[in-house]
Amino acid sequence: MTLTLTVSDEVRALAPGFTHVAIEAHGLVNGPSTDASSALLDDAARRLAVRLDGRAPHEDPHMAAWREAYTAFGSKPSRTRNSAEALAKRALSEAGLPRINVLVDLYNAISVAHLIPVGGEDLDHIQGGMRLVRATGDEDFVTVAAGEEVVEHPDAGEVVWCDEAGVTCRRWNWRQGPRTRLTEETVSAIFLLESMAPMPVPDVETAAAELAELLAKFSPGAHIEIRPAEPARD
């Protein structure tokens, strides 16, 4: 079954330059990070350095557009960075990029190399369709703090991804909840590549095609479908 993705009119009004490409994949094989997935992360950091050519990540026009969007819904982008900017900062630091598991390594590598937010959700843990909305503030976001499960609530007006069970990712793509994260047991997933103008849509589609190729390489036999970058509608 194809997962339904919708973007609310309120989000469209907030950021008319927003678009996304989705990749739905079934029959995936995941596991601990490997030398091959680690090498992809190292290569992505090198590609990022070339792309930025000495600039800080937030000085890139695409990252600047994301900062404007975050400011528009009341978030402080220097404190809660979009996922691509946060990863880029880590990639350029001495610590480098984290190694999580193969599937997460793959989409993090694409995110860093193309400087675009990319996320992955385990389809077996998504309830109903996924919606990108401005929160009322009453929604549940289940996370973990100090080893204990806690329930938070987004700020009113905050942009969140959610399903029928609650919020899956806060502040657009800032922090994902543990319920839908990709684990070593994940076999079906949806990957979201999110962009803002001025990034050309073909650039997002190129990044999606590269990710799809990596998924096919690391999970031979998987069924992988790329959805075109066209506006989703409620």
Side-chain angles (χ1 to χ4, degrees), residues 70-83:
Y70 269 50
T71 300
F73 68 78
S75 182
K76 295 182 178 179
S78 60
R79 296 183 60 185
T80 55
R81 296 177 175 87
N82 75 79
S83 65

Side-chain angles (χ1 to χ4, degrees), residues 21 23 193 204-214 226:
V21 177
I23 303 172
L193 297 87
V204 189
E205 294 172 333
T206 296
E210 186 177 340
L211 178 54
E213 289 176 5
L214 288 175
I226 301 178

Side-chain angles (χ1 to χ4, degrees), residues 112-135:
V112 169
H114 293 269
L115 204 53
I116 180 172
V118 184
E121 307 280 350
D122 190 318
L123 283 173
D124 290 330
H125 296 282
I126 294 290
Q127 298 187 29
M130 289 182 62
R131 296 172 291 118
L132 187 66
V133 302
R134 300 197 69 178

Side-chain angles (χ1 to χ4, degrees), residues 6-215:
T6 57
V7 179
S8 73
D9 290 341
E10 285 186 326
V11 172
R12 294 275 181 213
L14 178 78
F18 171 71
T19 191
H20 70 274
V21 177
I23 303 172
E24 187 165 336
H26 300 272
L28 295 168
V29 179
N30 201 10
S33 298
T34 64
D35 288 345
S37 70
S38 183
L40 286 171
L41 291 169
D42 290 337
D43 182 61
R46 288 189 289 268
R47 291 167 66 182
L48 173 69
V50 171
R51 184 187 193 97
L52 291 174
D53 192 24
R55 294 174 298 165
H58 71 268
E59 294 177 294
D60 178 86
H62 189 217
M63 294 298 93
W66 273 103
R67 283 192 165 215
E68 289 178 9
Y70 269 50
T71 300
F73 68 78
S75 182
K76 295 182 178 179
S78 60
R79 296 183 60 185
T80 55
R81 296 177 175 87
N82 75 79
S83 65
E85 185 182 332
L87 274 177
K89 283 181 66 66
R90 293 195 66 169
L92 297 173
S93 71
E94 285 190 14
L97 290 165
R99 275 58 173 166
I100 308 297
N101 57 54
V102 168
L103 291 179
V104 175
D105 289 352
L106 297 188
Y107 79 69
N108 278 349
I110 295 300
S111 176
V112 169
H114 293 269
L115 204 53
I116 180 172
V118 184
E121 307 280 350
D122 190 318
L123 283 173
D124 290 330
H125 296 282
I126 294 290
Q127 298 187 29
M130 289 182 62
R131 296 172 291 118
L132 187 66
V133 302
R134 300 197 69 178
T136 64
D138 296 325
E139 299 89 348
D140 288 343
F141 177 71
V142 181
T143 187
V144 175
E148 299 291 331
E149 185 175 283
V150 295
V151 178
E152 298 178 355
H153 302 284
D155 298 328
E158 181 182 324
V159 176
V160 298
W161 279 103
C162 60
D163 65 2
E164 291 181 3
V167 173
T168 58
C169 196
R170 285 198 59 187
R171 292 177 188 163
W172 219 313
N173 47 48
W174 167 65
R175 186 169 60 156
Q176 184 183 29
R179 172 170 61 91
T180 59
R181 285 178 186 160
L182 303 187
T183 70
E184 294 180 16
E185 289 71 45
T186 297
V187 294
S188 296
I190 189 85
F191 300 88
L192 288 171
L193 297 87
E194 302 180 297
S195 72
M196 296 280 179
M199 176 172 274
V201 171
D203 288 4
V204 189
E205 294 172 333
T206 296
E210 186 177 340
L211 178 54
E213 289 176 5
L214 288 175
L215 293 172

